[in-house]
Amino acid sequence: MDNQLRDIFFQLLRIGLWGQGSLPTNTKLQDKEWAQMYAWAIPHTVEGIIYDSFAFLNEDQLPPQSLRLKWAVRVDQIERHNIQMNKVIASQYKAFTQLGIQPILQKGQGVAQFYLNPLHRICGDIDWHFEDNGYSVARNYIKDQGIIVEDTKSFSLHYNYNNQFIEHHKQLFDLRSPLIQPYLRNISKYYRERQGILKIEDVSVRILAPELQVFQVNSHILKHLITFGMGLRQFCDSAKLYAHYSNQIDGEALKKIYQKTGILKWTHLLHQILVDYIGLSKSHLPFAYPSHTNSDWMLEEIWYGGNFGYHDERYAEGKVNSTVSVHPDGAKRLWRNFKRYLPYAPQEAIFFPIMHFYSKFLGIDRD
């Protein structure tokens, strides 16, 4: 029955994400089954998307009233948080540009704007990327306001501002292989002229060029899959970006980026999941994936891992070794994922743990 319920969960996810479709009229869930849907939605941080599917269900298919009320309260909290986050984004962007620097909004709210209901996408933090000397200028500006800034790794920092968790990044991408860093810097410069603009709170905020925005979101997914897991929300992000930019992306150029960075084989797995489970039309993919692609094993890992792997019940009883990770059985999980992803993204599978432990022992990493 769990597999049947999971299939219905993905149907609801697709209905809410794309704003179309319906459940078969004979599909009616018991109260305990709806409770399970809610319990699954939370660790994958897609409760707002599932909630949006209710408008497409028949009255007798809806959750019980008590759960609907609970769900509505949670979605209202998500909306309030996103409204406040958008205000912070707009005010910070204006402040940064007045300093003569040009930040780029990454991931998060920059992707949410492409959703049918942007306020229903859960967003954890605000990510800014700064080019050239913008990073140091912004850092000094924040510190001058008396805000406590914590430097993390050697390429980012974070702080709390107006009840929002904010990160600044020098590097655009989460890929760790040192062999590809010169190439990543080159494509960052090449695509600068194609950067886009989003209106947030009536402020024109800069975002990455379509190819780089898609590549950044997808490489971020890979990073977390190689470590401890990634929930379904980020896969919804990827699908929404591909759909929104389908007529703007140079498919061959994007494929070359995946090839040059050594993650094309993994990208085929991702694309199949986006089509089969998230509901992305194949016509919106930038290039076709091989017919023999089998991503079932990766879907299982996504399903059990949840958002950043914190909710993986398979390791609930595992021990935590803080020198490795805050996740239970951290070393065991890293080793398993190394073996899983080595055939599909060899450079990242090899270099991520090396760079992870290197920065851990230097005391400059935060995961």
Side-chain angles (χ1 to χ4, degrees):
M1 184 61 178
D2 273 357
N3 285 338
Q4 293 179 351
L5 274 184
R6 190 166 80 170
D7 288 345
I8 295 172
F9 179 88
F10 276 106
Q11 289 180 56
L12 293 171
L13 182 71
R14 291 191 292 270
I15 293 169
L17 185 64
W18 303 107
Q20 58 187 19
S22 61
L23 291 179
T25 54
N26 62 345
T27 301
K28 297 178 179 63
L29 300 178
Q30 302 297 317
D31 289 3
K32 66 178 181 179
E33 292 171 332
W34 267 116
Q36 181 64 74
M37 293 290 174
Y38 186 72
W40 281 338
I42 291 174
H44 284 282
T45 60
V46 293
E47 54 265 51
I49 301 173
I50 299 291
Y51 182 83
D52 286 340
S53 73
F54 297 169
F56 298 86
L57 305 184
N58 296 329
E59 183 66 30
D60 60 354
Q61 293 179 315
L62 291 168
Q65 189 171 8
S66 59
L67 181 57
R68 255 185 288 173
L69 178 60
K70 181 180 179 181
W71 215 314
V73 169
R74 190 172 183 90
V75 172
D76 180 69
Q77 292 170 342
I78 295 169
E79 290 180 348
R80 292 173 186 270
H81 178 77
N82 282 331
I83 290 170
Q84 179 60 29
M85 183 173 281
N86 285 339
K87 290 179 179 178
V88 170
I89 289 171
S91 66
Q92 279 206 312
Y93 190 83
K94 287 192 290 186
F96 289 142
T97 54
Q98 287 170 3
L99 295 172
I101 56 179
Q102 295 290 328
I104 298 172
L105 183 64
Q106 297 180 282
K107 300 172 290 192
Q109 291 298 85
V111 179
Q113 307 309 309
F114 301 136
Y115 277 64
L116 294 175
N117 194 335
L119 294 181
H120 287 184
R121 179 198 179 274
I122 293 177
C123 189
D125 56 20
I126 298 170
D127 291 279
W128 295 112
H129 168 69
F130 295 88
E131 298 169 339
D132 304 322
N133 70 329
Y135 183 88
S136 59
V137 173
R139 183 181 187 277
N140 292 335
Y141 168 74
I142 296 299
K143 292 195 73 175
D144 288 345
Q145 295 184 72
I147 298 170
I148 297 174
V149 173
E150 183 175 340
D151 292 292
T152 63
K153 306 172 185 170
S154 56
F155 303 105
S156 63
L157 60 84
H158 67 83
Y159 55 91
N160 285 294
Y161 174 74
N162 282 4
N163 297 316
Q164 301 295 329
F165 187 81
I166 299 172
E167 291 187 309
H168 294 189
H169 304 280
K170 285 183 184 179
Q171 291 188 333
L172 268 178
F173 308 108
D174 283 324
L175 298 176
R176 299 297 182 89
S177 169
L179 304 179
I180 63 173
Q181 297 309 313
Y183 175 73
L184 294 177
R185 288 191 291 271
N186 286 338
I187 62 172
S188 297
K189 292 178 182 177
Y190 178 80
Y191 280 97
R192 276 188 184 182
E193 293 183 359
R194 292 195 61 204
Q195 290 172 354
I197 296 292
L198 275 183
K199 283 282 189 179
I200 297 180
E201 293 286 311
D202 291 324
V203 174
S204 297
V205 177
R206 282 203 311 162
I207 57 174
L208 291 170
E211 289 86 353
L212 291 198
Q213 193 174 19
V214 169
F215 177 66
Q216 184 194 56
V217 166
N218 290 346
S219 60
H220 184 68
I221 291 173
L222 174 61
K223 168 199 168 180
H224 285 287
L225 289 180
I226 287 177
T227 52
F228 302 106
M230 180 60 90
L232 290 169
R233 182 188 73 208
Q234 285 77 12
F235 291 83
C236 293
D237 288 351
S238 180
K240 276 295 181 181
L241 285 173
Y242 274 134
H244 181 81
Y245 287 130
S246 62
N247 295 324
Q248 301 177 47
I249 287 176
D250 183 334
E252 285 303 311
L254 184 56
K255 186 175 184 179
K256 183 179 178 181
I257 293 174
Y258 290 132
Q259 286 175 323
K260 289 281 191 178
T261 54
I263 67 171
L264 180 61
K265 286 185 178 180
W266 173 79
T267 303
H268 291 322
L269 300 177
L270 168 68
H271 287 176
Q272 187 178 61
I273 286 174
L274 297 183
V275 170
D276 290 352
Y277 292 93
I278 309 300
L280 178 68
S281 169
K282 273 190 177 183
S283 65
H284 287 156
L285 287 175
F287 49 86
Y289 52 81
S291 59
H292 61 268
T293 302
N294 183 356
S295 58
D296 290 348
W297 66 272
M298 195 166 86
L299 189 280
E300 289 300 307
E301 290 304 307
I302 296 162
W303 179 255
Y304 286 108
N307 198 41
F308 304 120
Y310 290 116
H311 306 279
D312 197 328
E313 296 177 354
R314 297 172 298 179
Y315 301 98
E317 304 301 320
K319 295 181 180 179
V320 175
N321 182 341
S322 59
T323 61
V324 177
S325 172
V326 297
H327 294 75
D329 282 344
K332 178 181 178 181
R333 293 164 74 172
L334 285 173
W335 174 243
R336 288 184 63 187
N337 284 337
F338 167 77
K339 292 188 292 184
R340 286 192 184 103
Y341 290 96
L342 183 62
Y344 300 98
Q347 287 190 48
E348 289 308 302
I350 291 169
F351 281 107
F352 186 88
I354 293 173
M355 301 304 289
H356 176 79
F357 286 112
Y358 175 72
S359 55
K360 276 279 186 184
F361 291 129
L362 285 180
I364 57 174
D365 200 1
R366 173 183 173 273
D367 204 20

